[in-house]
Amino acid sequence: MLKRLLATTACCAALLVSLATGCDKGDGKSGGGASSSSSSSGKTIGVVPKGTSHVFWRSVHAGAEKAGKELGVAIKWDGPPDEKEINTQDRIIGDMQSRGVDALVVAPVDKTALTTTLENAKKKMPVVVFDSGSDF
């Protein structure tokens, strides 16, 4: 479990680096939400985990916040309380888009349920899937 946790946290940090350096939208919009760190670059990356209550996701959150601070990128963290709430995760992704995040990092609850949502998001911004696969 610890190895998976460290690998996922490192992966999340690497994804944030690649998204922070690859985002071309610089309007500084960040909106409200569950958690948001400050940004010196004006970039905001939305991170949507499978859930928020398990210790694993709380540690991923801590890693994302740390990487955001190191890179000067705002992190908007929001996810469903439970890892089975596909509709909640879908709504959160839509909310992040409407609030103007510059990129999305998503751990899909289900491999196929969010395909259309993620494809539509990718038309507007960089989208990276982590922790689990997706057909998008």
Side-chain angles (χ1 to χ4, degrees):
M1 174 74 171
L2 181 60
K3 286 183 182 181
R4 180 175 177 224
L5 175 65
L6 292 174
T8 302
T9 301
C11 178
C12 190
L15 294 171
L16 291 172
V17 169
S18 66
L19 288 173
T21 58
C23 294
D24 29 272
K25 184 177 155 198
D27 58 10
K29 296 178 187 174
S30 61
S35 175
S36 185
S37 64
S38 62
S39 165
S40 61
S41 71
K43 304 280 188 207
T44 300
I45 298 175
V47 182
V48 184
K50 288 181 184 179
T52 55
S53 58
H54 192 277
V55 67
F56 175 75
W57 297 114
R58 289 193 304 261
S59 62
V60 171
H61 182 196
E65 290 289 340
K66 182 180 180 201
K69 286 177 185 171
E70 290 172 0
L71 297 167
V73 176
I75 302 300
K76 172 129 178 57
W77 174 274
D78 198 1
D82 185 272
E83 294 184 19
K84 296 176 183 159
E85 297 181 36
I86 294 169
N87 292 333
T88 302
Q89 193 178 43
D90 187 53
R91 180 193 50 78
I92 289 167
I93 292 168
D95 289 349
M96 292 231 183
Q97 290 179 76
S98 67
R99 290 190 174 116
V101 297
D102 297 292
L104 280 171
V105 178
V106 181
V109 170
D110 180 87
K111 184 176 180 175
T112 59
L114 297 173
T115 302
T116 302
T117 299
L118 295 174
E119 285 173 349
N120 290 335
K122 190 171 182 176
K123 293 175 186 175
K124 300 173 185 175
M125 67 188 71
V127 176
V128 176
V129 171
F130 77 106
D131 187 64
S132 55
S134 174
D135 286 344
F136 113 94

